Amino acid sequence: MEIKAIAGDITQVESPAIIVNLFEGVEAPGGATGAADRALGGAISNLIADGEIRGKKGEITIIHTLGRIPAARVVVAGLGKAESFTPEAARRVTAAVCRRLRSAGVRRAATIVHGAGIGGLDVRDAAQAVAEGGLLGLYTFRRYFSKNEDADRTLDELSVVEQDASRLADIESGLERGRIFAEAAMLARNMVNEPPNHMTPTHIADIAAGLASEHALESTILDSPQMEELGMGGLLGVAKGSVEPPKFIVLTYKGDPDNPDNNLGLLGKGITMDTGGISLKTSAAMFSMKSDMSGAAAVVSAIGAIAQLKPRLNVTAIAACTENMPSGSAQKPGDVLRTMSGKTVEVENTDAEGRLALSDALAYARQMGITRLVDVATLTGAIVTALGDVCIGAFTNNDELLDSVIAAGEACGERIWELPMYEEYKEQNRSQVADVKNTGGARAGSITAAQFLAEFSEDTPWVHLDIAGTAMTDRESGYQVRGATGVPTRTLIRLAEDLAAQG
Ligand code: BES
Ligand code: MN
Ligand code: ZN
């Protein structure tokens, strides 16, 4: 969908549909909604008086204008209470309206910027939300259907109409930011939705190399002999069972080259298929495990967007990519690995492979001189049990960095909840034969996984995001559609901007 900003009176726009809105409790609509109401001889206020339009969140009313104004339809979108309106609400309402128009066969529409009036949002933020919501809400992944029926049924143009021409520049900049954020999240969704026979470590490396040349990122892509040389026994232990070559991907954006310590490392788990390895999963548990590279997809996609937004900060994205397969050459329960950090790990369960791959990513990032680490991983089934698909689980050794991550998530509508890191949990990872064991038993599985990672982040400020519950969704809601969510790509982009602004 193409999105553009135009100045003018939306009631004079010739379009199959114009989109206005109504806050809950408003009986006499003002602004663009009021103008549309007058042009329609009071149709909207009559529906309000009748109780059909109440302005509730999620309420969408389509009025056919029958030639009274140049537009064929007026869509009234309910926004809920004005006091509690947020950019997230603007994203959701835009997504829902765009999808409704698509299913009605409408190909072009014009909208006002929701929330920039009595909603009290900054105009640029509101415009960004409209672009993000529209693009993300209309997302589909249909490339493997031999008949692509959606192709000729899509909303392909959205004009954002603003009466006050002095606000046009802010709207344009917001729309452009929204496009960059949404396209990054959609790249992550595409990568995760791709089947595991296509989205191999090599394919992720190709996408990373493409982004590097498109956006002038520095890139290093290590293959297994190079990983061998660096002593990456964790990632290589997981890769042993697979015929697909593993890839260790490093992309760097230099936004503050004179201050190399002003940096951020974004680390992603990139298991392109997690069968469990020799500790084999059940068929049912295995089916969705193409999504086990969602962390890698998020960090790679985010740095592509960061390179376009150009914050004053150096950012490195690292994706540790391999399959986790069972075979005659696969690692075995009981194996002891020597990781890049020098620490040894006893592999109690080959299905706890993400933390092995990430242990080397953390060591590599620290050796590079990264001063702030954020890792993203579909790490544990236990986080799904604890938090469901409502929020991301977070763990840290540094409250200040976590506060920044949570705030960035809040701004993006990606919720993050902290879990504790009490020392006592470390005992569950104790091994009889090596420095640490890769599983901590049945209790507090997400926390013991995080405590394992903490062995490798050591004293570097670090946040771990467990996205096992949030990477995929099985229902359509707001701007999310079934399949990959693209979480937390937008949060990572926003985090880079926020840290840059903090200086
Ligand atoms: N990739 C899985 C975690 C997962 C579960 C992601 C459900 C998405 C949805 C991870 O590698 C895994 O298998 N974890 C094990 C760890 C256990 C063996 C200690 C788990 O959670 O069962
Ligand atoms: Mn696993
Ligand atoms: Zn996994």
Side-chain angles (χ1 to χ4, degrees):
M1 179 173 66
E2 199 199 316
I3 307 181
K4 56 183 187 195
I6 54 178
D9 171 359
I10 195 164
T11 64
Q12 296 309 309
V13 171
E14 194 187 319
S15 176
I18 60 169
I19 304 160
V20 295
N21 61 37
L22 192 75
F23 281 106
E24 196 174 334
V26 174
E27 272 154 33
T33 311
D37 183 43
R38 285 189 296 279
L40 295 177
I44 297 173
S45 40
N46 283 344
L47 288 168
I48 295 171
D50 283 353
E52 183 173 333
I53 297 184
R54 294 190 293 165
K56 292 234 179 239
K57 229 181 220 175
E59 175 192 273
I60 296 171
T61 310
I62 301 183
I63 301 167
H64 292 256
T65 65
L66 307 177
R68 302 185 98 155
I69 59 173
R73 300 169 185 80
V74 172
V75 181
V76 184
L79 300 185
K81 298 214 164 68
E83 312 88 78
S84 56
F85 196 72
T86 57
E88 178 67 359
R91 280 181 210 108
R92 289 178 184 230
V93 69
T94 308
V97 169
C98 286
R99 276 205 297 264
R100 171 71 83 80
L101 290 174
R102 176 176 65 190
S103 67
V106 170
R107 312 193 57 147
R108 285 189 301 126
T111 186
I112 56 171
V113 181
H114 307 298
I118 53 172
L121 301 187
D122 171 74
V123 198
R124 196 178 73 143
D125 290 348
Q128 179 177 347
V130 164
E132 279 182 24
L135 291 166
L136 291 169
L138 289 169
Y139 173 85
T140 57
F141 184 79
R142 300 185 57 85
R143 59 179 300 200
Y144 292 102
F145 289 110
S146 47
K147 288 203 187 83
N148 201 338
E149 284 144 11
D150 263 15
D152 48 286
R153 201 178 175 82
T154 186
L155 183 64
D156 40 37
E157 190 190 293
L158 184 66
S159 304
V160 175
V161 186
E162 171 58 49
Q163 179 97 56
D164 178 353
S166 73
R167 308 218 285 186
L168 212 59
D170 279 343
I171 290 180
E172 268 163 1
S173 124
L175 293 177
E176 174 64 2
R177 285 172 54 73
R179 187 189 60 76
I180 292 170
F181 275 69
E183 280 179 358
M186 292 193 288
L187 171 60
R189 285 181 183 179
N190 279 340
M191 291 171 73
V192 176
N193 283 330
E194 278 288 338
N197 56 328
H198 286 260
M199 194 49 63
T200 59
T202 303
H203 196 150
I204 297 180
D206 290 345
I207 289 170
L211 286 173
S213 66
E214 191 179 341
H215 302 301
L217 298 165
E218 289 174 16
S219 88
T220 307
I221 297 173
L222 306 180
D223 52 20
S224 32
Q226 294 167 301
M227 294 181 221
E228 204 85 64
E229 234 160 80
L230 291 171
M232 292 186 171
L235 179 57
L236 287 170
V238 181
K240 267 175 76 180
S242 175
V243 297
E244 283 293 337
K247 300 284 172 188
F248 190 88
I249 300 162
V250 186
L251 297 176
T252 297
Y253 157 76
K254 287 243 165 84
D256 193 6
D258 298 336
N259 296 297
D261 287 347
N262 181 24
N263 68 36
L264 170 68
L266 303 174
L267 281 47
K269 169 179 175 182
I271 305 298
T272 60
M273 178 61 198
D274 181 11
T275 66
I278 295 298
S279 311
L280 198 63
K281 287 184 184 294
T282 62
S283 306
M286 201 184 288
F287 178 58
S288 60
M289 282 301 139
K290 68 173 186 183
S291 67
D292 215 18
M293 38 59 73
S294 297
V299 301
V300 166
S301 304
I303 202 165
I306 290 167
Q308 295 172 62
L309 294 164
K310 300 190 169 38
R312 197 187 176 94
L313 173 78
N314 304 304
V315 184
T316 294
I318 298 180
C321 302
T322 179
E323 287 183 336
N324 185 25
M325 298 292 283
S327 80
S329 64
Q331 68 173 346
K332 300 164 289 294
D335 282 1
V336 173
L337 309 173
R338 187 176 298 277
T339 62
M340 183 176 176
S341 69
K343 289 191 178 172
T344 57
V345 180
E346 182 183 18
V347 179
E348 183 175 47
N349 188 319
T350 64
D351 198 11
E353 83 298 338
R355 63 198 80 178
L356 298 176
L358 283 173
S359 70
D360 287 333
L362 288 163
Y364 185 97
R366 277 169 44 81
Q367 279 195 19
M368 270 184 84
I370 302 290
T371 57
R372 285 175 293 211
L373 296 161
V374 176
D375 82 70
V376 186
T378 45
L379 204 64
T380 66
I383 205 72
V384 190
T385 306
L387 302 176
D389 66 358
V390 174
C391 59
I392 295 167
F395 307 81
T396 193
N397 60 9
N398 185 287
D399 292 337
E400 195 189 333
L401 182 59
L402 180 58
D403 286 347
S404 299
V405 173
I406 291 174
E410 193 59 43
C412 297
E414 298 181 334
R415 285 183 288 200
I416 297 168
W417 192 260
E418 184 183 10
L419 280 84
M421 286 287 275
Y422 297 119
E423 286 287 313
E424 283 86 339
Y425 290 111
K426 284 197 169 163
E427 288 162 26
Q428 291 174 239
N429 291 333
R430 203 156 285 157
S431 163
Q432 299 303 308
V433 301
D435 296 337
V436 65
K437 194 162 62 108
N438 80 329
T439 50
R443 288 169 288 145
S446 302
I447 303 175
T448 54
Q451 286 291 16
F452 179 93
L453 296 178
E455 301 281 348
F456 301 90
S457 53
E458 301 198 47
D459 55 2
T460 305
W462 157 78
V463 168
H464 158 56
L465 299 177
D466 193 337
I467 58 164
T470 45
M472 300 281 276
T473 179
D474 53 13
R475 58 200 152 85
E476 193 176 275
S477 160
Y479 49 86
Q480 294 296 2
V481 297
R482 263 182 281 273
T485 60
V487 164
T489 306
R490 290 180 299 114
T491 295
L492 299 178
I493 302 167
R494 177 69 188 236
L495 175 67
E497 290 189 324
D498 289 354
L499 292 178
Q502 284 167 25

